[in-house]
Every structure is written in C-alpha cells, then in structure tokens.
Amino acid sequence: MLNELITHYWQEFLLMASAHALAVASPGPDFAIVMRQSLVFGRRFAILTSIGIGLAILVHVTYAVLGIGLLIRDTLWLFTTIKVAGAAYLLYIGWQAIRVQKAEVKDFNPVSRDTMTNIKAFRQGFITNVLNPKATLFFLSLFTTIVSAQTPMGIQALYGIWMSVMTGAWFVFLSLMLTQQRVRQFFASFGHWIDRVLGAFLIILAILLLFSTVN
C-alpha cells in the first residue's frame, strides 16, 4: 500500500498534504483552545487536547471517504444543526475563558482536579474539532477536488492517518512551545488578559458562525 502511494499517488498526496498544512497552520478554534489550555492548565492538558484534535480529524476523513459528507452538505437542516452545535460549544468555551481569574493563569498548573481532568482536556480538543463546520467544509472540498474518486479506499485512509498524525503533532509542538519557562514568565502578568482575548475570539467566531447560518 505504501509503495503504491509513493509510486502512483505521490503528486495527489503532496497536494493534499500542502492544503492540509496551510489549513492547520491558520488560526482558528483549534489553535485558540490549545493556546488556552497551555496558558491556563499547563503542558499535559494542552497535549491531551492536541491529541483529541488530531484524532477528531479521523471523523472528518471517515465521513468524507464514505460519502456521508455529501449527505451532510446537501441536507440543509443537518448541516445547520452541526453549525449551531459548533457555535454553541465555542460560546461555552469562550465564556469560560473570559471568566478566568489572574491567579489561574499565573500558576500555570491545573486549578483543581475538578476544573480540568485528562478526559475533559481530551474531550475539549476532540469536540472543538468535530463540531467545527470549517473543518467539515475543508474535508468535503479536499475529498471532492484534490483527492480523486478513483483513488483506492486504502490510499485515502493513509491520507487520513497522515492528516490526523500531522495535526496532532502540530498542536503538541505548539503546546510544548507555549509552556516553555520563558513563555510562562512572559505571560505570568498578562496571561489572564490573553486568555480573555482568546475567549472573545472564540465568541466572535461563534457569532459569525451563527450569523452565516441565518443568512
């Protein structure tokens, strides 16, 4: 399978990988949630959130490869429901970020086991990505334009695994960078304001998403 990818589908793979890299690197809900986890709760929870985001990519790839994505795109009420659910979740996370206290960011440790847990950190990353309608549109476009319908299912599965791993790796890298000691010291005094800005960013994204839904 790998030999077939290298021999016959390397051009398609490069196009797919390049488009995905640009999409992952662009600021969005995933970036905001990882940055918040890094600044408020520390490295471990940020990495778990990053892993959740990476694994969520497989959900998008699965429905795109199986053709369910076309059903989502063509069924207005279903796609609208996904957009509203995604906007509601962004509003929830954004409101939590705006309410953060200065001491929470300054300590750079979990405030308490009740505030953040391993499962909750993973779930936040996973749900944020799964309910991101921009990700839905991206993967629908990717698998209907760049990836040919004649590309074998196994090769498309390899594409999905690649994007999942690279997405997780990118956000884990960001988690490591944002939790370096120098970065911690820099954000020690102003981290709570940055967290509130990130929260406002998420809320604005949610409002724009709801606005696009009703128009």
Side-chain angles (χ1 to χ4, degrees), residues 56-116:
I57 296 297
L58 295 177
V59 175
H60 298 294
V61 172
T62 299
Y63 64 64
V65 170
L66 295 179
I68 301 175
L70 297 177
L71 174 63
I72 295 174
R73 184 189 64 185
D74 297 334
T75 307
L76 181 60
W77 69 267
L78 182 57
F79 189 54
T80 299
T81 300
I82 294 174
K83 292 174 72 174
V84 171
Y89 191 72
L90 291 180
L91 283 172
Y92 169 72
I93 298 297
W95 178 245
Q96 282 191 323
I98 286 179
R99 295 176 58 212
V100 71
Q101 300 299 312
K102 181 175 181 180
E104 295 180 15
V105 179
K106 187 174 182 179
D107 292 340
F108 285 96
N109 287 309
V111 180
S112 71
R113 297 298 296 180
D114 295 331
T115 302
M116 182 58 60

